[in-house]
Structure formats: structure tokens, C-alpha cells
Amino acid sequence: MPCDGATQTGAVNDVTIIGGGVIGCAIARELTRYRLDVVLLEAEVEVGFGTSKSNSGIIHGGHHTKPGSLKSELAWAGNQRWVTLAEELGFGFRRNGDLTVAFDDADLATLEQIVQYGSDRGIPGVDMWTPEQIRRMEPNLNPDIVGAVVGPTAGVVNPYEACFALIECAVANGLELRVSAPVTAIERDEDGFLVTAGGETVRTRTIVNAAGLYAERVARMVGLLEPTIRGRKGEEYLLDKRLEGIVQRTIFPCPTPNSKGILVIPTFDGTIMVGPTAQPVEDLEDLATTPEGSNAVFTQARRLVPGISERDCIAEFAGIRAVASRDDFVIGPTAVPGFFNVAGIQSPGLTAAPAIAEMVAEMLGEDGLDLSLRPEFRGTMPRPVHVASLPIEELAALAEEDRRYSHVVCRCELVTEAEIDEAILRGARTLDGLKFRTRAGMGRCQGGFCTSRCMQLLAQAADTDMTAITKRGPGTWVVMQPDQLEPEPA
Ligand SMILES: Cc1cc2nc3c(=O)[nH]c(=O)nc-3n(C[C@H](O)[C@H](O)[C@H](O)COP(=O)(O)OP(=O)(O)OC[C@H]3O[C@@H](n4cnc5c(N)ncnc54)[C@H](O)[C@@H]3O)c2cc1C
């Protein structure tokens, strides 16, 4: 739900958040609890289109990491917020638990350490399972597995739904959201900062730099040399729903000092996902999947669950983790008064997001912002209707009231015209925006059937024609007029 009205250049707002990934969106919602004027500037056409849309969607259980680092503390704190957040904001979350498996004695020793981390942190239910328990509870795992740690606090979330719900809630509570607003310059002035974004200027007292992979670039705009951010790419592969139920819990191999390894993830929506790889990259826009990545993912996933095959792959994507040089989250004030970094939010940043948001609010309060609560803050959002999950009687009743619930747009995922229209009303502007809100185009045929109808509905709502509709913003048109095409080289 972008707010098209521009902030008056003369007015100085309290906080400007740069970046609308899950971190910026969570901070935005948290800050709208207070009597503050808050603006969020996002470079992309919709929020959540950076790393936050391309991850494994796991809410980590908190037991995998040694207590002590900021990321491990915030992950466990964040984990405990997701049930309430999902109930309040109506997005998909399930506490399915995880299982970290051992193939030999050396692995078993590492697993003992994981149990110890869980107990040091007071995480309930982290325990060792015998091979018999494993076979009973997860019969499709490799029979060579000799033991496993169960972590009942882990979960899976629909990460883009979470971003959309957080931002909708923030906008409903007074946030000014500006999309297609890349920040290109920041100057100091007597009130704080002048931020140039998308050709307009915003005056603000405080800046929260939540620009993900580009947090280093934004920090440099105010003369800071830290943080330095490097990219670490992760390739993920989604499998056909035929495999739904092959595992109940997220399956981890025994971790090494450098990696959590390749996982088998039962996503919130029922598809199985395998990945991610962890490959350093120079080019922060390099989202290509590779034969080497695919080979590594399927070989390692099959070692955990032998029934997994490349033949079931229906989609693949990559995301890039923003890794700071100190290999931990970088959250805090800087040498520039009023400028705060929330950077280097690599995995498990999604898990930690609600706790990071609370930490940032507290930090801004300590810096002198008035954190008086707004009594009119409304923290809940209606859950969007997902016809595919309704009993047939409920669907029939809905269709009786509104015929659009009987017009199926996406056959693979059973998404109706009414759901597409609602997603557009709630802010979808692109095909990806529709897909992430409704699942239209996410099934076996990957949009082969529904893309043109989705484009029609988007074009109708915007009173434009289909050549204006993009997959995810400028440069990603699906159909073109002849004059939009590049001229053939002579
Ligand atoms: C493959 C992979 C798997 C992962 N799996 C998990 C997992 O299972 N669980 C978990 O907890 N974490 C996971 N993570 C980590 C998680 O995805 C990230 O920690 C989280 O998404 C980071 O969110 P963010 O808001 O910091 O970054 P982003 O989502 O990248 O948001 C930053 C935003 O800033 C915007 N921006 C950049 N520059 C500017 C500018 N100049 N002006 C305005 N806007 C700007 C970008 O467009 C972007 O939308 C995974 C990551 C990857 C890559």
C-alpha cells in the first residue's frame, strides 16, 4: 500500500528508515507504536524484493549457535516473537521443529555440543533422538543416520507475506512508505539530514540504515567507512508438491565450523525446498543459479533424504546474504550523530527481525527520541483469504456472496480472481508482488497458465495496458510494444 503523497521538504520527520526488507519493515512497524513521524524509503517498486524474498524461510530454533554473538542472541529472542506476530498480522507460520542428523561418531560429538547450546540458553525440548526414534518420526530419512538432535522451537514462515503484513500494519499506523525511492545522497543540515531519494528530498532527524547488501554504500554517503559488506550467495531449489510430507521437520546435516550445510525444508506452503549453497560473490546482483550449485544441493540433500530428485525441481532461485567483515550483525549508533546502522544482517536475520526491531526502538529512545506510546496503535491486520486452504463449504459460501471466488486464475495453486483483486488493493503492483501475496504462478506450471490473466487484472486496476505491467519493476516487462524493443544491431 504505497503512500504516494510526498513529505513536505520543509517538515522534518523523526526517523527515516532506508530499506524495506524484513528488517526495515519490522523496524517501521515497531516505531509506529510511538508518537513519531516515520518514513521508509525503498529502492524497489515493492517492499521485500531484496534478500528478504529469497531465503529458506526458516525461523531458526536458537540451539545451533554458540551463545555470545549478537546474531545468536537476537535469533533466539526473535524466534520467541513469531507466533504472536503471525497471529497478529495474519501471515503463514508453523512451528514444525528441526532435526540435525549425524552419520558417524564425530558428528555425534558435534550434536552433543548443540544440545549443550540449547540447554545453556534454556531452549525447551532440545534433545537427542536414537535411530529408532528417527525412523518412527521421519521414516524417509537416510537409514545410515546414527542419531539426531531435535529442536522443537524451529519453524517455517512465509517470508514475503511477513514483509507485506509488517509494512501494511505500519502504513495503517501512520508510516509514510515511499517505494521506487532509491537513496542517492545524504547531506547533513542543522536539523539532522537531507536525504535525496527518487528525485525528492526528505528532511529527517535520524536515519536507520537497513539497506541490506547496499548498507555499505549508504553509510559511505555520510562519510562512514564501516561497515564493509560482502555478498555470500545461496542457491535454493523448489520441488513439486508431489513430495509434500516427505519430511515434517526441517532437516539439517551436522554443521561444520563454516556452514549450516544443505537443508531439506518443508516450506509453510507445502513445497519442499532444498538448499542453500554458500558462495562468496563480488557482484551483488548475481542471482544466477549454476550447474555446480544444483549438483551440490541435490547430492547433499539426497544424502539426507534419498527420495529427493532433480526431476522434481519446479523452480530455482538465489539470494545473497549481506555479510559484514566482523561476521556478525552490525547494529548501533555510529560516529555520525543520528545515523544508525542495522547492517550485515546475514542469516538468521529473518528469524531475528522482530527482536532487531525492538532493539532499534530502544536504541533510538536512548539517543533521545521520545518513545511515548500512541494509544491508537492497532497492531493487528486481517488475514487474507487463501481459498486453497478453505473447506469446500466455506468456499461455496464465499462464492455465493462474491462470484469472483469461483473464477480460478491460478489452477496449480487454486487462486481466485477475488484473491488477486484483494492483493492488488493491498499493494501488489507487479507479477511478483501478486505471486508472493497469493501464490499465483508458484505451482507446477510456474505461471504458464495464469500470467496473462494476472497481467490483465493488474492492468485493469491501474487503468493501463498490459505493456506497462512488469515482473518486478522497471526493466522486467513481460510483453512489449515494438518501440520498447532494443534496435537490432546494424
Ligand atoms: C539463501 C538465503 C537463505 C536464508 N535463509 C534464512 C533463513 O532460513 N532464516 C533466517 O532467519 N534468515 C535467512 N536468511 C537471511 C535473511 O534472508 C536476511 O537476514 C534478511 O532477509 C535480511 O533482511 P534485510 O532487510 O536486512 O535485507 P533486504 O531484504 O535485502 O532489504 C534491504 C532493502 O534495502 C533496499 N535498498 C538498498 N539500497 C537502498 C537505497 N540506496 N535506497 C533505498 N533502499 C535501498 C533494497 O532494495 C532492499 O529491499 C537467508 C539468506 C539467504 C540469502
Side-chain angles (χ1 to χ4, degrees), residues 18-24 41-44 46-60 181-184 210-215 218 221 232-236 276-277 317-321 329 342 345-352:
I18 302 177
V22 69
I23 301 300
L41 303 172
E42 168 50 49
E44 299 284 339
E46 298 192 42
V47 299
F49 275 22
T51 303
S52 298
K53 72 168 184 341
S54 357
N55 54 56
S56 311
I58 301 167
I59 298 308
H60 288 280
V183 171
T184 46
L213 287 164
Y214 296 100
V218 169
M221 292 179 196
R232 193 185 292 149
K233 182 158 88 171
E235 298 181 27
E236 309 256 21
T277 55
F317 63 87
I320 303 185
R321 306 164 185 87
F329 296 166
V342 187
I345 311 298
Q346 54 169 294
S347 189
L350 172 67
T351 308

Side-chain angles (χ1 to χ4, degrees), residues 103-124:
F103 282 92
D104 55 33
D105 287 350
D107 285 355
L108 283 173
T110 307
L111 298 198
E112 291 292 354
Q113 206 172 42
I114 291 177
V115 174
Q116 191 58 47
Y117 293 158
S119 118
D120 291 349
R121 204 172 260 139
I123 300 174

Side-chain angles (χ1 to χ4, degrees), residues 308-360:
I308 281 175
S309 157
E310 289 88 337
R311 291 187 186 181
D312 287 307
C313 182
I314 58 164
E316 51 197 67
F317 63 87
I320 303 185
R321 306 164 185 87
V323 182
S325 47
R326 72 167 90 140
D327 201 24
D328 199 357
F329 296 166
V330 179
I331 304 176
T334 65
V336 176
F339 187 95
F340 293 80
N341 278 322
V342 187
I345 311 298
Q346 54 169 294
S347 189
L350 172 67
T351 308
I356 292 178
E358 287 174 19
M359 180 182 174
V360 169

Side-chain angles (χ1 to χ4, degrees), residues 176-235:
E176 184 186 333
L177 169 64
R178 294 199 201 177
V179 291
S180 305
V183 171
T184 46
I186 305 174
E187 287 167 48
R188 307 293 310 277
D189 79 353
E190 66 279 8
D191 294 312
F193 304 92
L194 275 177
V195 182
T196 305
E200 292 180 21
T201 310
V202 175
R203 298 182 65 200
T204 187
R205 290 191 184 85
T206 313
I207 291 178
V208 174
N209 172 15
L213 287 164
Y214 296 100
E216 175 178 336
R217 190 181 288 177
V218 169
R220 302 241 166 177
M221 292 179 196
V222 292
L224 292 169
L225 299 178
E226 290 283 329
T228 49
I229 301 293
R230 298 285 166 264
R232 193 185 292 149
K233 182 158 88 171
E235 298 181 27

Side-chain angles (χ1 to χ4, degrees), residues 233-247:
K233 182 158 88 171
E235 298 181 27
E236 309 256 21
Y237 294 81
L238 275 163
L239 310 181
D240 193 290
K241 273 206 173 152
R242 182 183 84 74
L243 291 179
E244 185 168 2
I246 196 167
V247 291

